Amino acid sequence: MFSSITFIGSFTSVDSLPKETLPAIVLCGRSNVGKSSFINSFFNRRSIAKVSQTPGKTRTINYYTVENRFFVVDLPGYGYAKASKKDVEAWQKLIDEYFSAAGNIKLVFHLVDSRIPPTGDDILLSEYLQAREIPRSVLLTKTDKLNQTEYSVSLKKITEAFKDLTVNVNLFPFSIKKAISREKIYKQILKVIKA
Ligand SMILES: Nc1nc2c(ncn2[C@@H]2O[C@H](COP(=O)(O)OP(=O)(O)OP(=O)(O)O)[C@@H](O)[C@H]2O)c(=O)[nH]1
Ligand SMILES: [Mg+2]
């Protein structure tokens, strides 16, 4: 597994993003799905990324470097109930500018809550990435909250919603409470940052 992660900064506009051109792994998904938790858990740093039970915690583009080899980018989440029309527009603008400006994006991890079937926003994001030919894998989060039957249903729903997904290839069940898929996610990151 990766040995070190360093917080670089939080950005509210794309003009100030790091100029360095390391390969980037980007985390995207609904608010509260577990993007910041994934960073803490996967990179084994208990609270390098701020986590909250209240959706809408991460409002900035947060950059980390891992082993000085690649960036991990935590994007603000979408789809929380309290978001105003202005919030949604600001989010769309920031995300669109981000994907237009950021070079060297090797992979987007699109996080989807295993208890909530993909929403309209998830489908829009998926189509957006596809249209821009940005490679993505889905992390199905919080699987510790499901029993075996619910887990099977969850996998079925996500593969029905996104026909391109195959478990352990570009779809990885994940949990901060269980060691699941970690080696596979690790290998995928290694592969894409070398490509
Ligand atoms: N049981 C369980 N809870 C999780 C898991 N991942 C995240 N959570 C919880 O879900 C809540 C939201 O997690 P965050 O990591 O802050 O979510 P986020 O996607 O960064 O949310 P925004 O910053 O609002 O976009 C927190 O209370 C986490 O503890 C998981 O695998 N299992
Ligand atoms: Mg967050």
Side-chain angles (χ1 to χ4, degrees):
M1 287 290 155
F2 300 108
S3 60
S4 69
I5 181 163
T6 309
F7 177 67
I8 299 290
S10 297
F11 306 96
T12 50
S13 89
V14 296
D15 307 324
S16 47
L17 295 181
K19 295 282 171 272
E20 216 180 332
T21 52
L22 290 175
I25 305 290
V26 179
L27 303 175
C28 222
R30 290 182 71 220
S31 192
N32 207 242
V33 70
K35 298 174 295 296
S36 301
S37 300
F38 170 81
I39 292 176
N40 293 333
S41 169
F42 186 78
F43 295 101
N44 210 7
R45 281 285 299 275
R46 200 176 301 169
S47 50
I48 195 163
K50 289 196 184 70
V51 164
S52 169
Q53 290 180 17
T54 313
K57 177 69 184 173
T58 309
R59 300 287 188 100
T60 51
I61 298 173
N62 293 310
Y63 264 75
Y64 302 82
T65 49
V66 177
E67 296 177 351
N68 295 320
R69 287 162 84 189
F70 63 95
F71 288 129
V72 169
V73 185
D74 188 11
L75 291 181
Y78 49 81
Y80 50 101
K82 282 202 178 129
S84 65
K85 193 165 170 256
K86 228 175 127 195
D87 289 331
V88 174
E89 282 168 7
W91 181 88
Q92 280 171 345
K93 185 166 173 279
L94 187 63
I95 297 301
D96 198 36
E97 283 173 359
Y98 176 73
F99 282 114
S100 306
N104 229 354
I105 298 173
K106 295 294 187 184
L107 181 67
V108 171
F109 281 122
H110 177 182
L111 281 72
V112 179
D113 191 320
S114 59
R115 300 163 306 167
I116 307 171
T119 62
D121 287 332
D122 285 320
I123 290 163
L124 281 179
L125 173 64
S126 179
E127 287 172 356
Y128 178 90
L129 295 172
Q130 218 167 9
R132 289 188 161 247
E133 299 183 342
I134 300 169
R136 71 98 194 246
S137 285
V138 168
L139 301 180
L140 199 60
T141 65
K142 309 191 188 185
T143 54
D144 57 279
K145 295 192 178 221
L146 304 181
N147 66 32
Q148 200 55 46
T149 311
E150 290 164 337
Y151 178 69
S152 304
V153 171
S154 175
L155 280 179
K156 189 161 174 273
K157 284 199 171 144
I158 188 99
T159 47
E160 274 170 11
F162 300 127
K163 303 272 190 240
D164 63 307
L165 295 182
T166 307
V167 183
N168 292 334
V169 176
N170 55 1
L171 169 60
F172 303 101
F174 191 78
S175 164
I176 61 169
K177 305 210 166 164
K178 291 194 294 190
I180 177 173
S181 303
R182 284 169 197 247
E183 188 70 25
K184 294 189 180 90
I185 295 167
Y186 174 71
K187 284 193 174 138
Q188 186 171 52
I189 293 175
L190 278 186
K191 194 170 130 198
V192 300
I193 61 170
K194 281 181 194 147

